[in-house]
Amino acid sequence: MGSDARRLRVAFLGLGRMGTPMARHVRDAGHDLTVWNRTPGKADALAAAGATVADTPAAAAAGRDVVVLMLADPEAVEQVLLGPDGVASGAEPDTLVVDASTIGPDASRRMADRLREHRLRYVDAPVYGSVGPATAGTLGVLAGGAEADVAAARPLLELWGDPEQVRHVGPVGAGSAAKLVRNLSLGLALAGIGDALRLAATLDLPADVVDELMAAGPLGAAFPGVREILASGPPETAGFTVDMLTKDLRLCLAVEPRLPLVDAARRVGEEAHATGHGQDDTRTLPVWQRDAS
């Protein structure tokens, strides 16, 4: 880390729905921020707030204490870290890479091994929550890595999440593993609500009865978000898309194929994508499932 632990030199790579508010927290906390995004225009707002915009991941990583990634999938992470003009070709030895993406434990361990060849450190720290918590800085964070590396990353992790929800869950790969287990439960809950809504519609149950039963039942923790969609319609901007959840379910099945309910939930997500709903908020998935022909 830099000599002044209160002001880190940070590169943030990936400025999507989640990455942009997370990077803004880094800048608002007074850290020296450089950003990169495959689509450069997404960096404009952060540039106006004082961030430096780099042309490549290598340029963004040069001279930084910490490089943060918030990218879509394992392929994107590998390209940005190890591809031409990637982080590994620009970062100085001992730079800490904090991967907030959800890429699965095998990919996380592979990235850590490859980066170690370049004398770089790696923490997998996927976050859970949607755009609202990302903006508020109340995400959950599940960190995997060496104790010293997670401790070094913690000043940033606690900008994104409630300190009580920032957990060191084990060695490299453990953060990604924990995130998959969590999102597996989300996928199953949403698909289960969708099946329940479809059966209730087939049986012509009154909406208020269905609402009461679902809210009080085993899927009640996931139901309030769906209830909001039922009452008000889908949000203009998705907090967490159907496509991203479906990607996470595929990652679960890549680790353990013997998950028949996860496979069924994956198919629901892929069917929603095929009908043009992949970029919808995940909370809309049960409603789509209820109404799908």
Side-chain angles (χ1 to χ4, degrees), residues 129-218:
S130 59
V131 172
T135 302
T138 57
L139 293 165
V141 185
L142 300 164
E147 186 172 345
D149 292 342
V150 174
R154 188 169 285 274
L156 297 180
L157 305 183
E158 291 186 355
L159 295 176
W160 306 325
D162 181 335
E164 293 185 359
Q165 297 299 318
V166 176
R167 299 186 59 194
H168 182 193
V169 294
V172 166
S176 297
K179 174 66 182 293
L180 290 189
V181 170
R182 187 185 188 282
N183 276 14
L184 175 155
S185 66
L186 174 63
L188 294 184
L190 291 173
I193 291 170
D195 274 1
L197 293 181
R198 185 155 196 163
L199 179 61
T202 299
L203 296 173
D204 201 26
L205 281 176
D208 60 331
V209 172
V210 175
D211 184 276
E212 179 182 347
L213 292 171
M214 295 305 302

Side-chain angles (χ1 to χ4, degrees), residues 50-289:
T52 300
V53 180
D55 292 332
T56 66
R64 302 286 93 183
D65 301 309
V66 185
V67 177
V68 181
L69 281 70
M70 188 61 179
L71 301 169
D73 52 42
E75 293 75 21
V77 168
E78 184 166 9
Q79 179 69 18
V80 167
L81 286 178
L82 300 165
D85 292 322
V87 168
S89 64
E92 297 174 357
D94 206 39
T95 299
L96 177 62
V97 174
V98 176
D99 189 1
S101 319
T102 301
I103 63 173
D106 289 344
S108 293
R109 289 188 286 265
R110 186 170 68 250
M111 292 303 102
D113 290 343
R114 294 288 304 278
L115 291 178
R116 196 174 298 114
E117 297 171 5
H118 296 270
R119 298 169 60 193
L120 303 177
R121 299 180 290 158
Y122 179 90
V123 167
D124 61 307
V127 300
Y128 60 88
S130 59
V131 172
T135 302
T138 57
L139 293 165
V141 185
L142 300 164
E147 186 172 345
D149 292 342
V150 174
R154 188 169 285 274
L156 297 180
L157 305 183
E158 291 186 355
L159 295 176
W160 306 325
D162 181 335
E164 293 185 359
Q165 297 299 318
V166 176
R167 299 186 59 194
H168 182 193
V169 294
V172 166
S176 297
K179 174 66 182 293
L180 290 189
V181 170
R182 187 185 188 282
N183 276 14
L184 175 155
S185 66
L186 174 63
L188 294 184
L190 291 173
I193 291 170
D195 274 1
L197 293 181
R198 185 155 196 163
L199 179 61
T202 299
L203 296 173
D204 201 26
L205 281 176
D208 60 331
V209 172
V210 175
D211 184 276
E212 179 182 347
L213 292 171
M214 295 305 302
L219 299 174
F223 188 66
V226 178
R227 173 195 277 152
E228 183 179 342
I229 302 300
L230 290 167
S232 306
E236 291 185 9
T237 302
F240 181 46
T241 68
V242 170
D243 281 348
M244 292 301 288
L245 176 61
T246 306
K247 178 264 297 183
D248 291 349
L249 297 178
R250 290 193 199 99
L251 289 174
C252 293
L253 291 163
V255 173
E256 174 51 81
R258 298 167 298 177
L259 300 172
L261 298 182
V262 174
D263 193 43
R266 172 196 60 80
R267 291 197 302 271
V268 171
E270 290 180 348
E271 290 166 7
H273 172 88
T275 59
H277 294 279
Q279 290 302 301
D280 291 355
D281 192 284
T282 52
R283 295 171 297 164
T284 69
L285 188 59
V287 183
W288 172 86
Q289 195 174 341

